Amino acid sequence: MAPKDMESLLPQLLSFPPHPPPQPPLSDALYDKEIRNLRKALNDTPASALTSGVPNGGDLLDILDPSINTLPSLYVLLAHINATRQKASIVGGPWWFKALEFFERFDPVQVRYVGTEFRRLVVHVRDAALACNQPTAAVRPIRSAILRLDPSGSCFTPVLDKDVYEFPASSKIQPPGQLPCSQHDTSAGYITDQSELSAATTYRDPLLYFLYGAMIYVAMKEWHRAIPFLEAVLTAPSRNHASRIQVEAYKKWVLVNLLAHGQVPSSLPRTTTSQVAKQVRTLGKPYEALGEIFKGGQSKELDARRLNAEVHVGNQKWSEDYNLSLVLQVLDVYRQFTIIKLGSTYAALPLPLVTQRTSPNPNDHIETAQYIAMMISSGRLNATLDQRSQDPQSWVLRFALSSSTGPHARSEQESYEELVKQAARNAKLAEHVRETDRKLTLSKDYINWLKQSKKEAGSAANEGEEASTLPSQQPFDDEDIMGDG
């Protein structure tokens, strides 16, 4: 490209948005018109022109500010990446860092107009990290990009630690007066198929989202946060069949409950369909057996030999399911829960008795004392180990009588602060429930059900019958256990 061509292109790239911002600000209609014109100009510009540099040397990316010139920055960056023959080389290279800078600084409103290009950059970063066998290098940048686009994290995206309240809208018709740049009640107003910031979702997508989320929490050993994710998979609507994803979730649900609570709930969550419950329990029998032995051994104060034998017999099964590491952790927490359970029966117990009942070696009192000290320091056990002499056989384990006593006692102020935090969480949850109820009444499915209910009520009235008030099940795409991979 001749310098004069770049000289004519550069002002066009910098023309929108006007900087500094005008007063009063551009109307939504004018903003929408101008940014669409800029997008068209960028689409019509050859990639070679975007990578050719500026007249006085340097690159367009050195001039463009991603926080202001979001669209040109994105197009130029993609042009450079596409011109790189080995895309893996962008990891750690100049375009890699430019991509990371873009994810941290882009204007989230402007990006709503270039969903395809934005997703393409995310995929480039992901694939480059995978090609270099450095997948974690892409996690934080992509998370930052998605949360910058949708700070609430309330629309379905691969971001964890955020509750999913909505899925991208599939409607091709923009609501009246709602342009992409308009103020939207939720991110579902602009993260749509039409904006191409999201693709159409399938039955598998939300299941995999929650399963992978649970697996990440499991890796972090945050068992209590993993359980709701696994239960979201188990309670997903299903007409006749449990999917393989649900079966996998059930197996992990059993193990994670053992790790978190020392037992498996007697039943699945109430909203789990009967067919799914029946099938996952049938296919998860080895895991249920492990849970029964775990619970039975504690209640009868038996040693861990039977549990060890069960784990050994099922080694191939656990390995095939990629759950062996979890099963081995279950073995360890079995001992912990056995010690904790002693506190419900005894106020104090000589260390030799604790060793006899819980240790792999019933004569190694020092190892038992070290194990108990680890539990106390980690907060797992609220107790003290009385070591009045050098002889471990004289040591005594004393359990705290309540949460207000012992080394982990909580003051009234701490208890009050925890109650305040819980009240705030409940209020936030109630707010989202009310908002979801409001949106449900505006959804197409609800309106169709309402129309159908009125027709059924009218028909029943004509026949002198009582109209049913229960909604009929809507058809949905389901995948059986053999069909979803």
Side-chain angles (χ1 to χ4, degrees):
M1 168 180 278
K4 64 177 183 180
D5 294 329
M6 176 56 75
E7 289 174 359
S8 63
L9 175 63
L10 188 56
Q12 188 175 21
L13 298 182
L14 298 174
S15 64
F16 183 88
H19 191 72
Q23 293 298 332
L26 298 178
S27 66
D28 287 351
L30 183 56
Y31 185 103
D32 183 79
K33 177 183 177 181
E34 293 294 333
I35 197 170
R36 290 182 187 275
N37 289 337
L38 176 60
R39 184 183 65 185
K40 183 179 185 306
L42 286 166
N43 286 331
D44 293 340
T45 302
S48 58
L50 298 174
T51 59
S52 62
V54 294
N56 296 324
D59 189 86
L60 273 173
L61 289 176
D62 299 326
I63 298 175
L64 299 171
D65 183 345
S67 64
I68 300 173
N69 315 114
T70 298
L71 267 62
S73 296
L74 178 57
Y75 273 75
V76 172
L77 185 54
L78 286 173
H80 277 297
I81 293 175
N82 290 331
T84 305
R85 293 182 179 179
Q86 295 180 344
K87 292 185 175 62
S89 66
I90 71 168
V91 175
W95 313 131
W96 172 265
F97 291 111
K98 287 291 185 182
L100 302 195
E101 179 188 7
F102 180 86
F103 285 159
E104 293 291 340
R105 300 185 59 201
F106 70 84
D107 180 352
V109 176
Q110 292 185 50
V111 160
R112 298 175 191 178
Y113 288 84
V114 284
T116 299
E117 290 73 20
F118 179 75
R119 291 177 61 201
R120 191 177 300 157
L121 182 60
V122 171
V123 170
H124 274 309
V125 170
R126 179 202 68 188
D127 291 349
L130 290 174
C132 289
N133 198 27
Q134 301 177 38
T136 55
V139 173
R140 289 184 181 273
I142 293 176
R143 182 189 64 180
S144 297
I146 295 175
L147 290 178
R148 188 168 180 82
L149 176 67
D150 174 18
S152 71
S154 61
C155 197
F156 181 71
T157 55
V159 181
L160 296 175
D161 211 14
K162 295 286 183 181
D163 297 320
V164 176
Y165 301 108
E166 302 177 70
F167 290 90
S170 59
S171 173
K172 300 296 181 182
I173 303 175
Q174 195 75 29
Q178 288 286 294
L179 298 170
C181 60
S182 299
Q183 183 71 31
H184 293 266
D185 291 337
T186 71
S187 55
Y190 57 85
I191 300 180
T192 63
D193 292 351
Q194 185 181 21
S195 71
E196 298 186 351
L197 286 167
S198 178
T201 57
T202 67
Y203 174 74
R204 289 166 52 91
D205 291 330
L207 298 188
L208 288 173
Y209 170 86
F210 285 111
L211 178 62
Y212 292 157
M215 290 169 68
I216 290 175
Y217 282 132
V218 164
M220 297 169 65
K221 297 190 176 183
E222 296 191 16
W223 318 123
H224 291 86
R225 302 179 82 171
I227 290 173
F229 272 64
L230 294 170
E231 291 181 347
V233 179
L234 294 171
T235 57
S238 179
R239 182 179 299 170
N240 297 316
H241 304 282
S243 69
R244 287 186 180 181
I245 300 172
Q246 290 176 305
V247 174
E248 176 63 22
Y250 177 71
K251 295 173 180 178
K252 286 180 167 51
W253 181 78
V254 171
L255 296 176
V256 173
N257 269 287
L258 289 176
L259 291 166
H261 306 297
Q263 61 181 1
V264 182
S266 58
S267 61
L268 286 161
R270 286 188 305 169
T271 51
T272 308
T273 64
S274 58
Q275 282 292 92
V276 168
K278 180 179 179 180
Q279 291 176 10
V280 297
R281 298 192 71 168
T282 299
L283 294 170
K285 281 294 183 184
Y287 293 84
E288 288 194 349
L290 200 67
E292 287 298 319
I293 295 173
F294 191 106
K295 179 181 178 181
Q298 288 185 76
S299 63
K300 299 174 184 177
E301 295 186 348
L302 300 176
D303 58 30
R305 283 177 294 182
R306 188 181 173 200
L307 187 64
N308 271 295
E310 184 71 17
V311 169
H312 179 74
V313 169
N315 258 344
Q316 183 176 350
K317 173 65 176 174
W318 321 134
S319 297
E320 290 173 353
D321 292 343
Y322 299 99
N323 286 327
L324 180 58
S325 63
L326 273 179
V327 172
L328 294 178
Q329 290 182 74
V330 166
L331 275 179
D332 184 57
V333 299
Y334 174 85
R335 184 182 182 186
Q336 294 185 27
F337 278 107
T338 302
I339 293 174
I340 293 170
K341 193 173 180 65
L342 292 174
S344 62
T345 305
Y346 305 98
L349 204 62
L351 183 64
L353 287 179
V354 178
T355 304
Q356 182 181 353
R357 296 186 180 189
T358 66
S359 176
N361 184 349
N363 298 313
D364 193 345
H365 307 313
I366 297 295
E367 186 276 336
T368 301
Q370 292 172 343
Y371 192 84
I372 290 172
M374 178 275 296
M375 290 183 61
I376 294 173
S377 63
S378 66
R380 290 282 293 167
L381 180 65
N382 190 13
T384 57
L385 189 59
D386 191 348
Q387 301 171 287
R388 296 186 178 181
S389 71
Q390 297 296 320
D391 182 8
Q393 295 197 47
S394 66
W395 296 351
V396 177
L397 176 63
R398 301 186 186 279
F399 298 96
L401 299 179
S402 68
S403 61
S404 60
T405 62
H408 301 299
R410 290 196 301 179
S411 65
E412 291 186 5
Q413 180 63 28
E414 290 173 330
S415 299
Y416 172 76
E417 290 173 357
E418 181 59 32
L419 287 174
V420 171
K421 291 179 181 178
Q422 184 61 51
R425 288 193 291 266
N426 291 343
K428 185 176 181 181
L429 178 61
E431 177 186 345
H432 285 298
V433 169
R434 288 193 297 270
E435 183 65 14
T436 300
D437 287 343
R438 184 185 70 83
K439 291 168 186 170
L440 178 63
T441 61
L442 300 176
S443 69
K444 181 179 178 180
D445 290 339
Y446 180 82
I447 293 173
N448 288 340
W449 168 77
L450 200 59
K451 291 178 180 178
Q452 182 65 28
S453 297
K454 288 183 178 180
K455 289 181 181 179
E456 292 175 357
S459 175
N462 292 336
E463 297 174 6
E465 299 176 354
E466 181 180 356
S468 172
T469 59
L470 294 177
S472 58
Q473 289 187 342
Q474 298 294 323
F476 56 87
D477 294 328
D478 195 5
E479 300 180 57
D480 64 30
I481 191 170
M482 301 305 295
D484 65 345

